[in-house]
Amino acid sequence: MTGLDRRVLLAGLGALGLPAGPAAAQDPVGPLIEDRPIQLLSNLFTRVGAAVFIDGHGPFTFVIDTGAGTTSIADTLADQLALPPLQSVLVHGITEARVTRSVAINRLQLSGLGFRNLACPVFPRDQLAADGLIGLDVLDRFRLKFNVSRRTASLNVRGVSVRMGGDMVTGSRLRREGIRSVRGRFGQMIMTQILVDGQPTAAFIDSGAQYSIGNLALRRAVSARRRDGGRAAREVPIYGVTGQSLSADLAMVDDLRFGPQRLGATPMLFADLHCFETLGLSGRPSMLIGADLLGRFREVTLDFPGNTVVFSGLRRQTDRRLEIPGV
């Protein structure tokens, strides 16, 4: 049995019956509110689909997912194409690890680009809400740009540009002030120029996640920096797409900075998720960056070959609703 990475169980791949195909314009992610349980559903805000062909069949809609280490496929499509079975694999989700079957894809074609000999975990289509996911085993060859305000994305590599989600103007150069990163265990770009109330924080982007989540090491570090012991927090239940639940702290941080970009006071969730342990981040202040914070910018560029992330066009936050008594 082989170990693979996949962050599908909590945030990015909700069993919601979401429409396949390029993401249409959606309302921004709603504010965090303390007076009801929080469902970390599949994100629509930065969820963008691309047309792919598998072993000459298609096109099929695969969603770009920067939190998934491995490209995966829906069970209905794997069965329809009678893809050759491989051995079962252990996949790591946000809250847990579980075993699933996998299949072989001889050739996956994305626009003019071809990728061979992919081993893909298989998951129920109602969890993926698409024909499959394009994971970091494919994305790490590209410069991936999200135009958040237009809900579009583009992939660029070796002069080839693949556009998804609608018309989009490309060609701008990656700015030199981009945040440098190092690669995590499963290919995630882990940034360290992230400050939460002055605390240096390791962070990675999960374009499929609805909300950003810090680990409890970050929560403790932020609280220790304050004379009053930290902002008051409320413990709330959070629910994943398969029904599993855990508790999280919901609190407001006073100052959040992504490199030179200052986002100011921001509501955040804090919980010790399985993904932090999987990536070796559980013992240090760390956070997952989801669509709520990606939506604060007009564009976000992940240059995988250059190990650089650029956040540009910071937008004014109009609603920071966080209802915690005494805060």
Side-chain angles (χ1 to χ4, degrees):
M1 183 170 61
T2 305
L4 294 176
D5 168 55
R6 175 176 173 264
R7 27 94 12 253
V8 304
L9 300 180
L10 188 65
L13 307 179
L16 304 178
L18 302 178
Q26 307 288 342
D27 291 333
V29 173
L32 292 168
I33 303 173
E34 67 83 23
D35 58 356
R36 63 171 180 258
I38 295 172
Q39 290 185 287
L40 299 182
L41 304 176
S42 179
N43 160 52
L44 287 175
F45 193 41
T46 53
R47 187 176 169 90
V48 179
V52 305
F53 289 81
I54 297 176
D55 296 342
H57 302 280
F60 307 108
T61 299
F62 277 52
V63 170
I64 293 175
D65 194 334
T66 64
T70 306
T71 297
S72 60
I73 188 170
D75 54 357
T76 52
L77 182 57
D79 294 339
Q80 173 189 334
L81 299 178
L83 296 177
L86 298 175
Q87 66 186 91
S88 297
V89 294
L90 177 68
V91 295
H92 295 279
I94 283 186
T95 58
E96 62 182 356
R98 62 171 57 182
V99 176
T100 186
R101 68 184 175 112
S102 67
V103 295
I105 292 179
N106 178 53
R107 179 179 173 83
L108 184 149
Q109 188 172 3
L110 175 63
S111 188
L113 305 172
F115 305 89
R116 290 191 175 275
N117 302 321
L118 299 179
C120 300
V122 178
F123 298 100
R125 195 186 192 287
D126 61 357
Q127 285 187 15
L128 299 184
D131 294 320
L133 300 178
I134 300 175
L136 295 177
D137 55 342
V138 169
L139 294 176
D140 66 2
R141 307 145 198 237
F142 293 94
R143 190 180 76 174
L144 168 62
K145 178 187 290 186
F146 287 105
N147 186 315
V148 182
S149 59
R150 296 185 182 183
R151 289 28 164 207
T152 62
S154 67
L155 293 170
N156 292 275
V157 62
R158 298 190 304 273
V160 178
S161 178
V162 182
R163 297 177 178 85
M164 293 147 292
D167 294 332
M168 177 177 174
V169 177
T170 61
S172 60
R173 295 184 177 180
L174 189 66
R175 298 183 181 181
R176 292 185 178 181
E177 64 266 26
I179 300 175
R180 298 293 299 175
S181 68
V182 296
R183 288 304 184 98
R185 177 182 173 190
F186 297 105
Q188 288 86 355
M189 289 199 294
I190 299 176
M191 299 167 283
T192 56
Q193 292 176 260
I194 306 297
L195 296 178
V196 182
D197 283 350
Q199 171 64 49
T201 302
F204 65 96
I205 293 175
D206 185 342
S207 62
Q210 185 183 28
Y211 290 117
S212 302
I213 305 174
N215 64 1
L216 295 187
L218 175 59
R219 175 71 179 143
R220 291 190 293 268
V222 169
S223 297
R225 285 174 167 263
R226 297 178 58 95
R227 293 182 180 180
D228 59 5
R231 285 283 195 113
R234 178 183 175 88
E235 188 174 290
V236 296
I238 57 179
Y239 294 93
V241 298
T242 58
Q244 77 282 15
S245 65
L246 69 159
S247 62
D249 288 339
L250 174 58
M252 180 76 77
V253 299
D254 293 325
D255 188 31
L256 180 60
R257 302 191 186 197
F258 289 2
Q261 301 275 20
R262 183 174 181 177
L263 282 71
T266 303
M268 281 187 59
L269 292 166
F270 295 89
D272 271 339
L273 305 176
H274 177 74
C275 65
F276 292 125
E277 181 179 356
T278 301
L279 295 175
L281 299 175
S282 59
R284 58 189 288 198
S286 305
M287 67 179 293
L288 174 158
I289 299 174
D292 56 337
L293 295 183
L294 295 179
R296 296 288 308 279
F297 300 91
R298 289 186 174 86
E299 288 187 350
V300 178
T301 301
L302 292 82
D303 183 357
F304 287 99
N307 286 326
T308 306
V309 180
V310 175
F311 300 92
S312 58
L314 181 63
R315 301 193 293 184
R316 177 175 295 183
Q317 192 172 14
T318 58
D319 190 343
R320 292 197 300 262
R321 184 177 180 187
L322 179 67
E323 298 179 0
I324 299 179
V327 176

